[in-house]
Amino acid sequence: MEGCDFLVIGAGIAGASAAFELSRHGRVILLERERQPGYHTTGRSAALFTETYGNLTIRRLTSAGRSFFETPPDGFAEHPLLTRRGTLFIARTDQLGALERALAEAPVAAEPPRRLDAAGAVALNPALDPGYVAAALFEPGAMDIDVHALHGGFLRGLRAHGGRLVVNARVDTLSRRGGTWEADTPAGRFAAPVVVDAAGAWCDAVAALAGVRAAGLVPKRRTAFTFDPPAGMDVAGWPATIDIDEQFYFRPDAGRVLGSPADETPSEPCDAQPEEIDIAIGVDRIETATRLRVTRLVSKWAGLRSFVADKTPVAGFDPEAEGFFWLAGQGGYGIQTSPALGRVTAGLVVDGDLPGDLRARGLEKAMLAPERLR
């Protein structure tokens, strides 16, 4: 039995960021069921840093992490974590109400989103069909996130603080004895007074092993694919372009175009694979909105994004299970909220409250607490 102060289950972006922050306060062991961390969702994310995406709590968490992305700790990453991209939310005539609501709810930012007419949208993304787009919202401050560098930085920081990552460590049993959680895995037995359930799509399954009531987590499949743009068309400067009702999106990706139908198909926790119907829907929606024609797919994949009922992350101790901490339900926002949620976890676990700067941004424990779901 190997003991530690904090046992974190799941080494995707949520677990890695939490382990990184907790390792400043004690010894952390981070358990990963697969042979490599971030295999299922983190490694399949086309991540953007956008402060206009998601509900109010998500937007506040995202904004709270901006300084970390812009100036990470010394040695965290060899290259910048963010690259300027911009995000263009487009609307048809029948979607103008949704666009106006998004603009009204946009957070205060150094580079605030602005409304564009159809001509302005096409000027930013010349692939758009001017007969399709009625107006758009442009967020100039949106950035591409280097997911590999971010995830790797959290894991390196964990090790630098004396923490340990254990792979091939699927948790088979999880029980509490004498004030300590004990986990049995194929890689060994581990124990800690606090366990952090950051297992992504498997969070409810881990809770069940511990005899803890489920959070009602629903994993949902998200499909993506890449294709070549027309010959001679330079896509590098395009903003990420998203339907205002999130029915599809597309963006540049290493000289190609990455597209998605923005599907959210409920799924059991699994190694998600793309379905041909979802790919066909995504291709059709992109072709309808643009002058692009997808003649050949270069690649395709799928991942799972996990949500609870209100589509807001769950972060907090379970009120019915001593020492059991939930870090679940990040949905499609896990990458961009990871710096803030890592700090949320450490604050709640170590001090029992959110860090002061996060509270100053309007974040409250109750917004994230698991008891809100019961």
Side-chain angles (χ1 to χ4, degrees):
M1 183 80 71
E2 183 176 353
C4 60
D5 298 299
F6 312 109
L7 185 63
V8 181
I9 300 174
I13 197 70
S17 62
F20 169 77
E21 293 292 347
L22 285 168
S23 67
R24 304 174 188 270
H25 304 279
R27 185 160 189 266
V28 177
I29 295 178
L30 177 59
L31 303 180
E32 170 54 48
R33 63 182 284 129
E34 305 295 346
R35 65 183 182 278
Q36 65 185 50
Y39 174 79
H40 286 284
T41 299
T42 299
R44 307 180 194 189
S45 174
L48 278 171
F49 180 89
T50 165
E51 294 173 274
T52 63
Y53 188 44
N55 62 33
L56 180 62
T57 302
I58 294 292
R59 297 197 302 270
R60 287 177 176 173
L61 287 167
T62 300
S63 296
R66 185 173 192 123
S67 61
F68 184 98
F69 280 110
E70 293 177 335
T71 55
D74 290 342
F76 187 87
E78 296 180 357
H79 307 288
L81 297 174
L82 300 178
T83 304
R84 197 169 184 86
R85 168 64 56 198
T87 299
L88 189 66
F89 296 87
I90 60 173
R92 303 182 304 268
T93 301
D94 62 303
Q95 296 175 302
L96 290 176
L99 187 142
E100 297 300 340
R101 286 191 296 274
L103 187 60
E105 295 171 0
V108 176
E111 296 180 89
R114 61 180 185 268
R115 193 185 193 280
L116 301 176
D117 59 15
V122 174
L124 286 175
N125 189 337
L128 289 169
D129 180 352
Y132 179 91
V133 180
L137 184 156
F138 180 56
E139 182 188 2
M143 309 277 190
D144 288 338
I145 301 175
D146 187 332
V147 178
H148 178 75
L150 178 66
H151 189 226
F154 285 136
L155 295 177
R156 280 193 303 275
L158 165 69
R159 297 187 186 99
H161 296 154
R164 182 182 173 204
L165 168 67
V166 184
V167 297
N168 294 316
R170 179 193 67 248
V171 176
D172 292 324
T173 67
L174 182 61
S175 58
R176 190 164 179 86
R177 296 185 180 89
T180 299
W181 287 101
E182 298 178 3
D184 289 295
T185 82
R189 302 181 69 208
F190 305 92
V194 173
V195 63
V196 177
D197 182 3
W202 285 264
C203 278
D204 271 354
V206 168
L209 291 175
V212 174
R213 279 204 286 169
L217 201 70
V218 180
K220 296 182 178 181
R221 189 176 66 247
R222 170 60 59 92
T223 305
F225 50 86
T226 61
F227 59 94
D228 288 319
M233 181 177 283
D234 182 10
V235 306
W238 292 358
T241 302
I242 306 173
D243 173 73
I244 193 66
D245 291 325
E246 202 178 352
Q247 295 299 302
F248 65 90
Y249 63 82
F250 64 98
R251 55 174 287 187
D253 184 69
R256 295 191 165 104
V257 181
L258 184 154
S260 172
D263 49 325
E264 293 185 351
T265 307
S267 168
E268 292 297 318
C270 67
D271 183 5
Q273 299 299 316
E275 299 284 346
E276 293 302 320
I277 184 61
D278 295 324
I279 293 171
I281 290 171
V283 168
D284 177 69
R285 290 174 179 173
I286 291 170
E287 289 186 339
T288 299
T290 70
R291 297 182 289 111
L292 298 171
R293 293 298 173 263
V294 182
T295 58
R296 181 181 70 89
L297 296 180
V298 177
S299 60
K300 55 186 177 180
W301 66 95
L304 294 181
R305 299 148 34 107
S306 299
F307 299 89
V308 292
D310 60 7
K311 289 195 170 183
T312 300
V314 185
F317 280 109
D318 191 283
E320 301 168 358
E322 183 182 359
F324 187 95
F325 190 95
W326 287 93
L327 184 55
Q330 290 84 359
Y333 319 103
I335 307 296
Q336 66 180 35
T337 60
S338 60
L341 280 174
R343 295 186 60 224
V344 163
T345 300
L348 292 175
V349 169
V350 176
D351 300 320
D353 202 354
L354 302 182
D357 62 305
L358 300 189
R359 285 185 276 114
R361 289 182 174 272
L363 289 164
E364 301 173 5
K365 290 169 58 175
M367 293 175 172
L368 303 167
E371 49 263 43
R372 78 180 194 272
L373 303 172
R374 297 175 183 172

